[in-house]
Amino acid sequence: ADSTAAALGTALKSCGKLEKAHLVLYNTKLTDAGGEALCAGLIGKELQDLDLRLHGTSVADKTGLALGKFLSSCGKMTKLFLSLAETRITDPVAESIANGLIVLPLLTTIVLAFRGTLVSRECVDGVKLKLKRPGLTIIY
């Protein structure tokens, strides 16, 4: 799975403008190595709509932090579905993702799936307060 994600990241780097992406890598053996490579391939794109499903993988904090960095660069994003359920992410990752999203003024629909992770209820509540948007759904 890591080699597939790395190849996908490389292919995405070569794409010019990419407005919409639906990436499904759930229930694979994906680890942080592949997750980081995938995120690196997405940086610099003009994504408006992203559906990224990484649930049931072995990704953890390195991928999550890379996601936060990538998301903060998506100034035109209006819609995000991000599933990290059943992964090994922790509170700092959820906070990094929230920090990446808070700077996106056009983002109106956000679905974040953190169920079955190491993210605490207190952190989820903090993310909700930080983002405060009508289109926010957090699955915990």
Side-chain angles (χ1 to χ4, degrees), residues 100-119:
L101 297 177
I102 201 165
V103 299
L104 304 178
L106 303 176
L107 191 57
T108 56
T109 304
I110 308 167
V111 178
L112 302 173
F114 294 140
R115 184 188 67 243
T117 65
L118 300 174
V119 176

mmCIF file of all heavy atoms in Angstrom, residues 100-119:
data_model
loop_
_atom_site.group_PDB
_atom_site.id
_atom_site.type_symbol
_atom_site.label_atom_id
_atom_site.label_comp_id
_atom_site.label_asym_id
_atom_site.label_seq_id
_atom_site.Cartn_x
_atom_site.Cartn_y
_atom_site.Cartn_z
ATOM 1 N N GLY A 100 -5.123 23.571 10.154
ATOM 2 C CA GLY A 100 -5.037 23.664 8.698
ATOM 3 C C GLY A 100 -6.347 24.106 8.080
ATOM 4 O O GLY A 100 -6.366 24.812 7.067
ATOM 5 N N LEU A 101 -7.450 23.719 8.684
ATOM 6 C CA LEU A 101 -8.766 24.037 8.126
ATOM 7 C C LEU A 101 -9.271 25.424 8.505
ATOM 8 O O LEU A 101 -10.008 26.048 7.749
ATOM 9 C CB LEU A 101 -9.794 22.995 8.586
ATOM 10 C CG LEU A 101 -9.546 21.568 8.112
ATOM 11 C CD1 LEU A 101 -10.597 20.633 8.694
ATOM 12 C CD2 LEU A 101 -9.537 21.481 6.598
ATOM 13 N N ILE A 102 -8.855 25.915 9.651
ATOM 14 C CA ILE A 102 -9.382 27.193 10.145
ATOM 15 C C ILE A 102 -9.028 28.357 9.220
ATOM 16 O O ILE A 102 -9.726 29.351 9.175
ATOM 17 C CB ILE A 102 -8.921 27.452 11.592
ATOM 18 C CG1 ILE A 102 -9.840 28.463 12.254
ATOM 19 C CG2 ILE A 102 -7.472 27.872 11.644
ATOM 20 C CD1 ILE A 102 -9.692 28.521 13.748
ATOM 21 N N VAL A 103 -7.964 28.221 8.464
ATOM 22 C CA VAL A 103 -7.522 29.310 7.585
ATOM 23 C C VAL A 103 -8.173 29.253 6.199
ATOM 24 O O VAL A 103 -7.832 30.046 5.327
ATOM 25 C CB VAL A 103 -5.977 29.308 7.426
ATOM 26 C CG1 VAL A 103 -5.307 29.508 8.766
ATOM 27 C CG2 VAL A 103 -5.492 28.032 6.758
ATOM 28 N N LEU A 104 -9.124 28.356 6.009
ATOM 29 C CA LEU A 104 -9.754 28.190 4.700
ATOM 30 C C LEU A 104 -11.137 28.849 4.697
ATOM 31 O O LEU A 104 -12.121 28.255 5.136
ATOM 32 C CB LEU A 104 -9.866 26.708 4.346
ATOM 33 C CG LEU A 104 -8.549 25.932 4.356
ATOM 34 C CD1 LEU A 104 -8.792 24.475 4.030
ATOM 35 C CD2 LEU A 104 -7.551 26.546 3.392
ATOM 36 N N PRO A 105 -11.236 30.062 4.166
ATOM 37 C CA PRO A 105 -12.481 30.821 4.257
ATOM 38 C C PRO A 105 -13.629 30.266 3.409
ATOM 39 O O PRO A 105 -14.792 30.498 3.720
ATOM 40 C CB PRO A 105 -12.084 32.216 3.765
ATOM 41 C CG PRO A 105 -10.924 31.970 2.855
ATOM 42 C CD PRO A 105 -10.194 30.795 3.458
ATOM 43 N N LEU A 106 -13.335 29.543 2.354
ATOM 44 C CA LEU A 106 -14.373 29.041 1.451
ATOM 45 C C LEU A 106 -14.925 27.684 1.866
ATOM 46 O O LEU A 106 -15.907 27.210 1.295
ATOM 47 C CB LEU A 106 -13.835 28.950 0.017
ATOM 48 C CG LEU A 106 -13.287 30.248 -0.573
ATOM 49 C CD1 LEU A 106 -12.700 30.001 -1.957
ATOM 50 C CD2 LEU A 106 -14.365 31.315 -0.620
ATOM 51 N N LEU A 107 -14.313 27.057 2.845
ATOM 52 C CA LEU A 107 -14.691 25.707 3.264
ATOM 53 C C LEU A 107 -16.036 25.747 3.993
ATOM 54 O O LEU A 107 -16.157 26.317 5.076
ATOM 55 C CB LEU A 107 -13.607 25.128 4.167
ATOM 56 C CG LEU A 107 -13.664 23.651 4.504
ATOM 57 C CD1 LEU A 107 -13.658 22.798 3.238
ATOM 58 C CD2 LEU A 107 -12.499 23.272 5.378
ATOM 59 N N THR A 108 -17.056 25.145 3.374
ATOM 60 C CA THR A 108 -18.403 25.171 3.948
ATOM 61 C C THR A 108 -18.886 23.798 4.403
ATOM 62 O O THR A 108 -19.781 23.706 5.232
ATOM 63 C CB THR A 108 -19.419 25.739 2.942
ATOM 64 O OG1 THR A 108 -19.363 24.969 1.749
ATOM 65 C CG2 THR A 108 -19.122 27.198 2.634
ATOM 66 N N THR A 109 -18.320 22.736 3.857
ATOM 67 C CA THR A 109 -18.721 21.390 4.243
ATOM 68 C C THR A 109 -17.491 20.632 4.709
ATOM 69 O O THR A 109 -16.538 20.467 3.951
ATOM 70 C CB THR A 109 -19.364 20.634 3.057
ATOM 71 O OG1 THR A 109 -20.466 21.398 2.573
ATOM 72 C CG2 THR A 109 -19.832 19.262 3.486
ATOM 73 N N ILE A 110 -17.535 20.186 5.972
ATOM 74 C CA ILE A 110 -16.410 19.451 6.550
ATOM 75 C C ILE A 110 -16.946 18.219 7.266
ATOM 76 O O ILE A 110 -17.796 18.346 8.152
ATOM 77 C CB ILE A 110 -15.636 20.293 7.591
ATOM 78 C CG1 ILE A 110 -15.239 21.658 7.045
ATOM 79 C CG2 ILE A 110 -14.420 19.529 8.095
ATOM 80 C CD1 ILE A 110 -14.759 22.625 8.119
ATOM 81 N N VAL A 111 -16.450 17.052 6.879
ATOM 82 C CA VAL A 111 -16.757 15.821 7.607
ATOM 83 C C VAL A 111 -15.423 15.211 8.011
ATOM 84 O O VAL A 111 -14.587 14.913 7.150
ATOM 85 C CB VAL A 111 -17.570 14.816 6.756
ATOM 86 C CG1 VAL A 111 -17.814 13.532 7.542
ATOM 87 C CG2 VAL A 111 -18.886 15.435 6.306
ATOM 88 N N LEU A 112 -15.228 15.049 9.310
ATOM 89 C CA LEU A 112 -14.006 14.458 9.848
ATOM 90 C C LEU A 112 -14.397 13.205 10.625
ATOM 91 O O LEU A 112 -15.244 13.272 11.519
ATOM 92 C CB LEU A 112 -13.300 15.434 10.792
ATOM 93 C CG LEU A 112 -12.896 16.786 10.205
ATOM 94 C CD1 LEU A 112 -12.375 17.703 11.300
ATOM 95 C CD2 LEU A 112 -11.864 16.601 9.114
ATOM 96 N N ALA A 113 -13.787 12.077 10.301
ATOM 97 C CA ALA A 113 -14.068 10.828 11.005
ATOM 98 C C ALA A 113 -12.864 10.446 11.854
ATOM 99 O O ALA A 113 -11.803 10.117 11.324
ATOM 100 C CB ALA A 113 -14.408 9.720 10.011
ATOM 101 N N PHE A 114 -13.042 10.519 13.178
ATOM 102 C CA PHE A 114 -11.992 10.185 14.135
ATOM 103 C C PHE A 114 -12.370 8.991 15.006
ATOM 104 O O PHE A 114 -11.701 8.706 15.995
ATOM 105 C CB PHE A 114 -11.699 11.375 15.056
ATOM 106 C CG PHE A 114 -11.100 12.578 14.379
ATOM 107 C CD1 PHE A 114 -11.504 13.846 14.742
ATOM 108 C CD2 PHE A 114 -10.146 12.448 13.398
ATOM 109 C CE1 PHE A 114 -10.954 14.969 14.148
ATOM 110 C CE2 PHE A 114 -9.587 13.559 12.787
ATOM 111 C CZ PHE A 114 -9.990 14.831 13.168
ATOM 112 N N ARG A 115 -13.436 8.293 14.689
ATOM 113 C CA ARG A 115 -13.903 7.164 15.497
ATOM 114 C C ARG A 115 -12.830 6.066 15.545
ATOM 115 O O ARG A 115 -12.197 5.748 14.550
ATOM 116 C CB ARG A 115 -15.199 6.599 14.890
ATOM 117 C CG ARG A 115 -15.821 5.476 15.709
ATOM 118 C CD ARG A 115 -16.998 4.815 14.988
ATOM 119 N NE ARG A 115 -16.510 4.120 13.811
ATOM 120 C CZ ARG A 115 -16.852 4.427 12.555
ATOM 121 N NH1 ARG A 115 -17.689 5.384 12.301
ATOM 122 N NH2 ARG A 115 -16.347 3.749 11.539
ATOM 123 N N GLY A 116 -12.608 5.512 16.722
ATOM 124 C CA GLY A 116 -11.658 4.410 16.868
ATOM 125 C C GLY A 116 -10.207 4.818 16.792
ATOM 126 O O GLY A 116 -9.344 4.003 16.491
ATOM 127 N N THR A 117 -9.932 6.091 17.086
ATOM 128 C CA THR A 117 -8.546 6.576 17.083
ATOM 129 C C THR A 117 -8.110 6.841 18.519
ATOM 130 O O THR A 117 -8.852 6.593 19.461
ATOM 131 C CB THR A 117 -8.425 7.884 16.277
ATOM 132 O OG1 THR A 117 -9.179 8.901 16.946
ATOM 133 C CG2 THR A 117 -8.917 7.711 14.851
ATOM 134 N N LEU A 118 -6.925 7.405 18.676
ATOM 135 C CA LEU A 118 -6.424 7.790 19.993
ATOM 136 C C LEU A 118 -6.754 9.249 20.313
ATOM 137 O O LEU A 118 -6.275 9.788 21.296
ATOM 138 C CB LEU A 118 -4.913 7.562 20.060
ATOM 139 C CG LEU A 118 -4.472 6.107 19.827
ATOM 140 C CD1 LEU A 118 -2.948 6.004 19.762
ATOM 141 C CD2 LEU A 118 -5.027 5.202 20.904
ATOM 142 N N VAL A 119 -7.584 9.863 19.482
ATOM 143 C CA VAL A 119 -7.999 11.248 19.709
ATOM 144 C C VAL A 119 -9.009 11.267 20.861
ATOM 145 O O VAL A 119 -9.959 10.492 20.873
ATOM 146 C CB VAL A 119 -8.621 11.857 18.432
ATOM 147 C CG1 VAL A 119 -9.140 13.256 18.695
ATOM 148 C CG2 VAL A 119 -7.589 11.867 17.297
#
